[in-house]
């Protein structure tokens, strides 16, 4: 499975494609090496779909979503960053908790029950990876996934 092209393909024909058009979102895919990965295709699809769906949901109008992949120090690093309101510092430690939802005012679409990021973390961990988040209120939110070298398909 090739990460970024597959990831972007998953958005075609979904509610996210319509939201991208309605919100005039600029999507940037930063130059990345061609990296094929091994793992459970269904679980990985869910990971990347959930992260992208959250980025689309919380990006500001005329905002930007940046997707990047890097390979260094024997690890694969996948980044997804969206401009927008960000996540309050008090909430950052809880975003991966089951049923946790940050302030509804961050979104024009308060759908969901607060399970998506908990599921993402579980599936990333099942692939021996790690997920972290950084955010600055009023500016951005960024998720970074790190997978070990053996995640790369030879």
């Amino acid at each position: 499975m090739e990460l970024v092209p597959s990831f972007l393909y998953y958005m075609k024909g979904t509610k996210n494609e319509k939201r991208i058009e309605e919100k005039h979102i600029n999507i940037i895919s930063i130059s990345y090496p061609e990296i094929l990965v091994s793992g459970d295709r269904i679980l990985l699809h869910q990971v990347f779909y959930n992260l992208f769906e959250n980025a689309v949901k919380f990006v500001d109008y005329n905002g930007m979503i940046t997707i990047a992949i890097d390979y260094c120090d024997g690890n694969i690093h996948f980044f997804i960053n969206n401009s927008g309101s960000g996540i309050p510092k008090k909430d950052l430690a809880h975003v991966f908790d089951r049923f946790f939802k940050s302030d509804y005012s961050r979104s024009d679409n308060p759908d969901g029950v607060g399970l998506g990021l908990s599921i993402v973390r579980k599936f990333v961990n099942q692939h021996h990876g790690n997920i972290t988040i950084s955010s600055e209120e009023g500016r951005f939110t960024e998720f970074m996934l790190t997978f070990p070298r053996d995640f790369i398909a030879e």
Side-chain angles (χ1 to χ4, degrees):
M1 174 178 168
E2 194 174 349
L3 284 180
V4 171
S6 296
F7 176 69
L8 294 175
Y9 174 78
Y10 292 141
M11 298 303 113
K12 296 287 184 195
T14 68
K15 64 183 175 185
N16 290 318
E17 188 173 38
K18 184 177 178 186
R19 283 182 182 163
I20 290 166
E21 291 173 11
E22 290 172 348
K23 292 174 88 173
H24 304 282
I25 300 168
N26 186 17
I27 299 176
I28 298 171
S29 177
I30 295 180
S31 181
Y32 57 92
E34 187 174 303
I35 297 174
L36 299 175
V37 298
S38 60
D40 186 310
R41 189 183 222 17
I42 294 170
L43 298 183
L44 291 172
H45 167 97
Q46 192 66 51
V47 165
F48 296 120
Y49 186 87
N50 280 3
L51 290 174
F52 192 75
E53 184 174 54
N54 280 353
V56 170
K57 188 186 300 184
F58 296 114
V59 69
D60 47 347
Y61 283 84
N62 297 309
M64 182 170 27
I65 296 174
T66 305
I67 300 166
I69 294 180
D70 190 21
Y71 175 73
C72 66
D73 301 326
N75 293 312
I76 300 170
H77 304 282
F78 172 85
F79 303 87
I80 182 161
N81 177 303
N82 66 276
S83 62
S85 60
I87 300 171
K89 283 185 181 184
K90 67 178 180 58
D91 292 344
L92 284 175
H94 304 287
V95 295
F96 297 110
D97 295 348
R98 291 179 63 203
F99 303 113
F100 179 78
K101 291 184 76 168
S102 192
D103 184 0
Y104 278 99
S105 67
R106 288 191 343 106
S107 171
D108 61 351
N109 184 354
D111 293 345
V113 295
L115 286 173
L117 291 176
S118 175
I119 291 168
V120 164
R121 181 179 61 185
K122 178 180 178 181
F123 291 169
V124 168
N125 290 342
Q126 286 177 348
H127 285 85
H128 307 287
N130 186 45
I131 183 167
T132 58
I133 182 172
S134 61
S135 186
E136 187 175 321
E137 283 188 84
R139 297 201 55 225
F140 72 92
T141 298
E142 179 175 81
F143 289 90
M144 181 177 82
L145 289 76
T146 302
F147 295 100
R149 179 181 183 85
D150 61 359
F151 187 64
I152 298 173
E154 299 293 333

